[in-house]
Amino acid sequence: MSTDRPVFPPRSSNPRLLASRSNTSRRSRLEHLRRLTLRDRQLLAWLAEHYVLSADQITEAAFTSRRSARLRLATLHGIEAVSRFVDITTGDGQYLYALGPLGMLVHPTAYNDPDRPDARPPRSSIERTERIVGSCRLAHLLGTNQLFVDLLAHARSHQNAWLARWWSEQHATAAYAVAGIRPDGHGVWCVGEHQQVGFFLEHDNGTEPLAVVLRKLRGYERLAQFGPRYPVLLRVRSRRREANLLRALAGVPTAMPVATGIHDEHPAGPAWTLTTEPGLRRWLHELPSDHGPDNPATNPHRFTHPDDD
């Protein structure tokens, strides 16, 4: 049996050659950066903030067709702006997307670990992607992001509606750390000139006892004392789960409005039931909302409409 092994050319130690390769790589990155469109940069910003989006979610939020999305995502993957891997949460085989090496160059301070916010920064985009792929919260992340994707898609076909703020769990947790809340997401939904509804999302997959879900409301009680009074959206998987929540909260006073909804209903529409109005469904923009006192010391993240500047 032959014991011959393949012989590879030795790596050059010539400083000039190494410098030339480095310059070529740098020029290539700069050229790729120049090729990024505004839509590309928006997508990279979403992936930096929210970790992961599916091909379907990206299509709904930013493209006019599956074909155009597929072609552009292939280009972005080719220039390493995004990384991709097969969705293992549903078995449908579609790609999920995260930041690639070029994307992390654009967003060097991206959130790095969905399970451990205080984890050390990853050494590469590959390590960051591995953390996302291996996260026990991957399905939860996709479910949370879906509500905001639905709102973005709705806004694209309704000129008077737009999603003015979309914060991840880590962003919202840091911003409202004094109150100790950990919402799965935070947004501000605007319809027309005067209807602005901030909200905190609690995306429920039915894996926690109702008592645990209800305990999450305590932090919002503290926030209402000095910050915004936004509705807390308890979004659950089934009507039965929703009915149990409404029964548990019947007659219970809350400083924040609390509304329940179902995963399968469009979040912009009449999908929300306030715990104080169990027989009525409201549109998202109809929910009561208060941005809180205009006090930079106690409410530094108070939302300001662009037209109010």
Side-chain angles (χ1 to χ4, degrees):
M1 180 181 295
S2 173
T3 58
D4 292 343
R5 296 181 179 179
V7 178
F8 298 98
R11 292 187 177 181
S12 172
S13 59
N14 186 318
R16 291 184 179 179
L17 182 57
L18 292 176
S20 175
R21 290 175 177 171
S22 177
N23 289 335
T24 300
S25 178
R26 187 178 297 110
R27 285 195 299 270
S28 178
R29 288 198 301 270
L30 290 174
E31 178 59 29
H32 291 332
L33 287 172
R34 283 194 289 268
R35 292 173 60 187
L36 295 176
T37 66
L38 289 177
R39 181 173 59 188
D40 296 337
R41 291 182 179 274
Q42 178 62 80
L43 172 58
L44 296 181
W46 288 337
L47 295 178
E49 171 95 3
H50 305 289
Y51 289 109
V52 61
L53 291 169
S54 71
D56 284 348
Q57 289 175 334
I58 293 170
T59 301
E60 292 174 35
F63 289 87
T64 56
S65 70
R66 288 178 179 271
R67 182 176 184 276
S68 61
R70 184 174 66 253
L71 291 174
R72 190 58 189 168
L73 287 171
T75 297
L76 292 176
H77 181 252
I79 64 175
E80 298 187 321
V82 298
S83 299
R84 69 187 185 190
F85 54 96
V86 175
D87 183 4
I88 60 174
T89 65
T90 62
D92 62 8
Q94 74 168 317
Y95 281 124
L96 304 182
Y97 289 86
L99 285 182
L102 189 70
M104 290 193 69
L105 187 65
V106 178
H107 292 281
T109 57
Y111 293 118
N112 292 318
D113 195 313
D115 296 333
R116 297 174 297 151
D118 58 347
R120 60 170 177 77
R123 290 168 292 182
S124 66
S125 64
I126 294 176
E127 182 180 344
R128 181 179 185 270
T129 300
E130 287 175 344
R131 294 181 185 183
I132 297 170
V133 175
S135 172
C136 61
R137 304 183 70 247
L138 179 57
H140 190 271
L141 282 171
L142 290 168
T144 296
N145 291 346
Q146 186 62 53
L147 176 139
F148 293 93
V149 167
D150 287 341
L151 293 178
L152 288 169
H154 180 86
R156 295 178 64 207
S157 59
H158 296 75
Q159 294 183 356
N160 68 330
W162 68 99
L163 184 62
R165 179 186 284 178
W166 176 15
W167 286 0
S168 64
E169 174 185 336
Q170 292 185 25
H171 191 156
T173 298
Y176 299 109
V178 175
I181 64 172
R182 296 188 62 88
D184 293 320
H186 162 53
V188 176
W189 179 240
C190 299
V191 176
E193 297 182 2
H194 306 294
Q195 293 173 304
Q196 306 161 21
V197 176
F199 61 87
F200 296 109
L201 173 64
E202 294 289 347
H203 179 81
D204 177 73
N205 281 330
T207 58
E208 296 177 327
L210 287 181
V212 174
V213 177
L214 297 177
R215 278 201 297 271
K216 295 178 180 180
L217 299 178
R218 295 176 183 173
Y220 296 106
E221 300 286 333
R222 292 190 292 271
L223 181 60
Q225 297 174 12
F226 57 83
R229 297 174 181 85
Y230 292 151
V232 181
L233 307 183
L234 303 179
R235 203 175 195 215
V236 299
R237 297 180 65 178
S238 67
R239 291 286 184 201
R240 181 177 180 181
R241 177 83 162 174
E242 181 186 33
N244 290 337
L245 274 172
L246 289 172
R247 278 195 295 270
L249 287 166
V252 178
T254 58
M256 295 283 200
V258 178
T260 61
I262 307 298
H263 291 186
D264 292 339
E265 293 189 336
H266 198 289
W272 303 103
T273 298
L274 288 166
T275 57
T276 54
E277 301 173 345
L280 179 66
R281 290 278 180 184
R282 290 200 184 203
W283 290 63
L284 180 58
H285 67 266
E286 295 175 335
L287 296 179
S289 176
D290 185 346
H291 296 309
D294 189 5
N295 187 334
T298 61
N299 193 16
H301 304 288
R302 187 179 191 274
F303 177 77
T304 301
H305 192 283
D307 293 341
D308 297 336
D309 291 343

Short mmCIF file of all heavy atoms in Angstrom, two decimals, residues 258-285:
data_model
loop_
_atom_site.label_atom_id
_atom_site.label_comp_id
_atom_site.label_asym_id
_atom_site.label_seq_id
_atom_site.Cartn_x
_atom_site.Cartn_y
_atom_site.Cartn_z
N VAL A 258 -52.70 45.22 29.55
CA VAL A 258 -52.27 43.88 29.17
C VAL A 258 -53.26 43.34 28.15
O VAL A 258 -54.48 43.40 28.37
CB VAL A 258 -52.20 42.93 30.40
CG1 VAL A 258 -51.80 41.52 29.96
CG2 VAL A 258 -51.22 43.47 31.44
N ALA A 259 -52.74 42.85 27.03
CA ALA A 259 -53.60 42.32 25.98
C ALA A 259 -53.09 40.95 25.55
O ALA A 259 -51.89 40.69 25.52
CB ALA A 259 -53.63 43.27 24.77
N THR A 260 -54.02 40.08 25.22
CA THR A 260 -53.67 38.74 24.76
C THR A 260 -53.96 38.60 23.26
O THR A 260 -54.82 39.30 22.71
CB THR A 260 -54.46 37.65 25.51
OG1 THR A 260 -55.87 37.85 25.27
CG2 THR A 260 -54.19 37.74 27.01
N GLY A 261 -53.21 37.71 22.62
CA GLY A 261 -53.41 37.47 21.20
C GLY A 261 -52.90 36.08 20.84
O GLY A 261 -52.21 35.43 21.64
N ILE A 262 -53.20 35.65 19.63
CA ILE A 262 -52.85 34.31 19.16
C ILE A 262 -51.78 34.42 18.08
O ILE A 262 -51.80 35.32 17.25
CB ILE A 262 -54.08 33.59 18.56
CG1 ILE A 262 -55.25 33.62 19.56
CG2 ILE A 262 -53.75 32.15 18.20
CD1 ILE A 262 -54.97 32.91 20.84
N HIS A 263 -50.84 33.48 18.07
CA HIS A 263 -49.75 33.49 17.09
C HIS A 263 -50.25 33.61 15.66
O HIS A 263 -49.65 34.29 14.84
CB HIS A 263 -48.92 32.20 17.20
CG HIS A 263 -48.12 32.10 18.46
ND1 HIS A 263 -47.23 31.08 18.69
CD2 HIS A 263 -48.08 32.89 19.56
CE1 HIS A 263 -46.67 31.24 19.87
NE2 HIS A 263 -47.17 32.32 20.42
N ASP A 264 -51.34 32.90 15.32
CA ASP A 264 -51.76 32.80 13.93
C ASP A 264 -52.51 34.03 13.43
O ASP A 264 -52.80 34.13 12.23
CB ASP A 264 -52.66 31.57 13.73
CG ASP A 264 -51.88 30.27 13.91
OD1 ASP A 264 -50.64 30.30 13.78
OD2 ASP A 264 -52.52 29.23 14.18
N GLU A 265 -52.85 34.98 14.30
CA GLU A 265 -53.58 36.16 13.87
C GLU A 265 -52.62 37.29 13.54
O GLU A 265 -51.59 37.46 14.20
CB GLU A 265 -54.56 36.60 14.96
CG GLU A 265 -55.69 35.61 15.19
CD GLU A 265 -56.76 36.16 16.10
OE1 GLU A 265 -56.45 37.07 16.90
OE2 GLU A 265 -57.92 35.69 16.02
N HIS A 266 -52.94 38.07 12.53
CA HIS A 266 -52.05 39.15 12.11
C HIS A 266 -51.99 40.22 13.19
O HIS A 266 -53.03 40.73 13.61
CB HIS A 266 -52.51 39.77 10.79
CG HIS A 266 -51.43 40.54 10.11
ND1 HIS A 266 -50.97 41.75 10.59
CD2 HIS A 266 -50.69 40.28 9.00
CE1 HIS A 266 -50.01 42.20 9.80
NE2 HIS A 266 -49.82 41.32 8.83
N PRO A 267 -50.80 40.58 13.64
CA PRO A 267 -50.69 41.49 14.79
C PRO A 267 -51.17 42.91 14.53
O PRO A 267 -51.49 43.62 15.48
CB PRO A 267 -49.19 41.47 15.10
CG PRO A 267 -48.53 41.08 13.82
CD PRO A 267 -49.48 40.12 13.17
N ALA A 268 -51.23 43.34 13.27
CA ALA A 268 -51.69 44.70 13.01
C ALA A 268 -53.21 44.81 13.08
O ALA A 268 -53.75 45.90 13.28
CB ALA A 268 -51.22 45.17 11.63
N GLY A 269 -53.90 43.69 12.93
CA GLY A 269 -55.35 43.69 12.84
C GLY A 269 -56.06 43.55 14.17
O GLY A 269 -55.45 43.72 15.24
N PRO A 270 -57.35 43.22 14.14
CA PRO A 270 -58.14 43.08 15.36
C PRO A 270 -57.83 41.77 16.07
O PRO A 270 -58.66 40.86 16.14
CB PRO A 270 -59.58 43.13 14.85
CG PRO A 270 -59.49 42.58 13.46
CD PRO A 270 -58.17 43.02 12.92
N ALA A 271 -56.62 41.67 16.59
CA ALA A 271 -56.12 40.42 17.14
C ALA A 271 -55.92 40.45 18.64
O ALA A 271 -55.52 39.43 19.22
CB ALA A 271 -54.78 40.07 16.47
N TRP A 272 -56.23 41.59 19.30
CA TRP A 272 -55.83 41.77 20.69
C TRP A 272 -57.02 41.97 21.61
O TRP A 272 -57.93 42.75 21.30
CB TRP A 272 -54.88 42.96 20.80
CG TRP A 272 -53.68 42.79 19.91
CD1 TRP A 272 -53.46 43.40 18.70
CD2 TRP A 272 -52.59 41.90 20.11
NE1 TRP A 272 -52.29 42.95 18.15
CE2 TRP A 272 -51.73 42.04 18.99
CE3 TRP A 272 -52.24 41.01 21.13
CZ2 TRP A 272 -50.55 41.30 18.87
CZ3 TRP A 272 -51.07 40.28 21.01
CH2 TRP A 272 -50.24 40.44 19.91
N THR A 273 -57.00 41.27 22.73
CA THR A 273 -58.05 41.37 23.73
C THR A 273 -57.45 41.92 25.02
O THR A 273 -56.59 41.27 25.64
CB THR A 273 -58.69 40.00 24.02
OG1 THR A 273 -59.28 39.49 22.83
CG2 THR A 273 -59.75 40.12 25.11
N LEU A 274 -57.88 43.11 25.41
CA LEU A 274 -57.44 43.66 26.68
C LEU A 274 -58.05 42.86 27.83
O LEU A 274 -59.20 42.43 27.75
CB LEU A 274 -57.85 45.13 26.80
CG LEU A 274 -57.09 46.12 25.91
CD1 LEU A 274 -57.82 47.46 25.85
CD2 LEU A 274 -55.67 46.32 26.44
N THR A 275 -57.28 42.67 28.88
CA THR A 275 -57.79 41.89 30.01
C THR A 275 -58.96 42.58 30.67
O THR A 275 -59.75 41.93 31.37
CB THR A 275 -56.67 41.66 31.05
OG1 THR A 275 -56.15 42.93 31.47
CG2 THR A 275 -55.55 40.83 30.44
N THR A 276 -59.10 43.88 30.46
CA THR A 276 -60.23 44.63 31.02
C THR A 276 -61.45 44.60 30.09
O THR A 276 -62.52 45.07 30.47
CB THR A 276 -59.83 46.09 31.26
OG1 THR A 276 -59.31 46.65 30.04
CG2 THR A 276 -58.76 46.17 32.35
N GLU A 277 -61.28 44.06 28.87
CA GLU A 277 -62.37 43.98 27.90
C GLU A 277 -62.38 42.59 27.25
O GLU A 277 -62.11 42.44 26.05
CB GLU A 277 -62.21 45.05 26.81
CG GLU A 277 -62.18 46.48 27.33
CD GLU A 277 -61.86 47.47 26.23
OE1 GLU A 277 -61.38 47.06 25.14
OE2 GLU A 277 -62.08 48.67 26.44
N PRO A 278 -62.63 41.55 28.01
CA PRO A 278 -62.47 40.18 27.50
C PRO A 278 -63.35 39.81 26.32
O PRO A 278 -63.07 38.84 25.63
CB PRO A 278 -62.79 39.32 28.72
CG PRO A 278 -63.60 40.20 29.61
CD PRO A 278 -63.10 41.58 29.40
N GLY A 279 -64.36 40.58 26.04
CA GLY A 279 -65.25 40.23 24.93
C GLY A 279 -65.00 41.01 23.66
O GLY A 279 -65.77 40.89 22.70
N LEU A 280 -63.92 41.80 23.63
CA LEU A 280 -63.70 42.70 22.50
C LEU A 280 -62.31 42.50 21.90
O LEU A 280 -61.33 42.36 22.63
CB LEU A 280 -63.86 44.16 22.96
CG LEU A 280 -63.65 45.25 21.92
CD1 LEU A 280 -64.75 45.18 20.85
CD2 LEU A 280 -63.67 46.63 22.59
N ARG A 281 -62.25 42.49 20.57
CA ARG A 281 -60.96 42.42 19.87
C ARG A 281 -60.61 43.80 19.33
O ARG A 281 -61.43 44.45 18.69
CB ARG A 281 -61.03 41.42 18.71
CG ARG A 281 -61.11 39.98 19.15
CD ARG A 281 -59.75 39.43 19.49
NE ARG A 281 -59.82 38.04 19.92
CZ ARG A 281 -58.79 37.34 20.35
NH1 ARG A 281 -57.60 37.90 20.42
NH2 ARG A 281 -58.92 36.10 20.75
N ARG A 282 -59.37 44.21 19.58
CA ARG A 282 -58.92 45.52 19.10
C ARG A 282 -57.77 45.38 18.11
O ARG A 282 -57.00 44.43 18.18
CB ARG A 282 -58.44 46.38 20.27
CG ARG A 282 -59.51 46.86 21.21
CD ARG A 282 -59.00 48.05 21.98
NE ARG A 282 -59.92 48.53 22.99
CZ ARG A 282 -59.89 49.78 23.47
NH1 ARG A 282 -58.97 50.62 23.03
NH2 ARG A 282 -60.74 50.16 24.38
N TRP A 283 -57.68 46.37 17.20
CA TRP A 283 -56.51 46.49 16.36
C TRP A 283 -55.33 46.95 17.22
O TRP A 283 -55.53 47.57 18.28
CB TRP A 283 -56.75 47.50 15.24
CG TRP A 283 -57.73 47.05 14.20
CD1 TRP A 283 -59.07 46.78 14.41
CD2 TRP A 283 -57.47 46.80 12.83
NE1 TRP A 283 -59.64 46.38 13.24
CE2 TRP A 283 -58.70 46.39 12.24
CE3 TRP A 283 -56.34 46.90 12.03
CZ2 TRP A 283 -58.80 46.07 10.89
CZ3 TRP A 283 -56.45 46.58 10.68
CH2 TRP A 283 -57.66 46.17 10.13
N LEU A 284 -54.13 46.66 16.77
CA LEU A 284 -52.95 47.05 17.54
C LEU A 284 -52.91 48.55 17.79
O LEU A 284 -52.62 49.00 18.90
CB LEU A 284 -51.66 46.60 16.82
CG LEU A 284 -50.34 46.94 17.51
CD1 LEU A 284 -50.27 46.34 18.92
CD2 LEU A 284 -49.16 46.44 16.67
N HIS A 285 -53.23 49.34 16.77
CA HIS A 285 -53.13 50.80 16.94
C HIS A 285 -54.25 51.36 17.82
O HIS A 285 -54.23 52.54 18.17
CB HIS A 285 -53.13 51.50 15.58
CG HIS A 285 -54.42 51.40 14.81
ND1 HIS A 285 -54.64 50.42 13.88
CD2 HIS A 285 -55.55 52.15 14.84
CE1 HIS A 285 -55.85 50.58 13.36
NE2 HIS A 285 -56.42 51.63 13.94
#
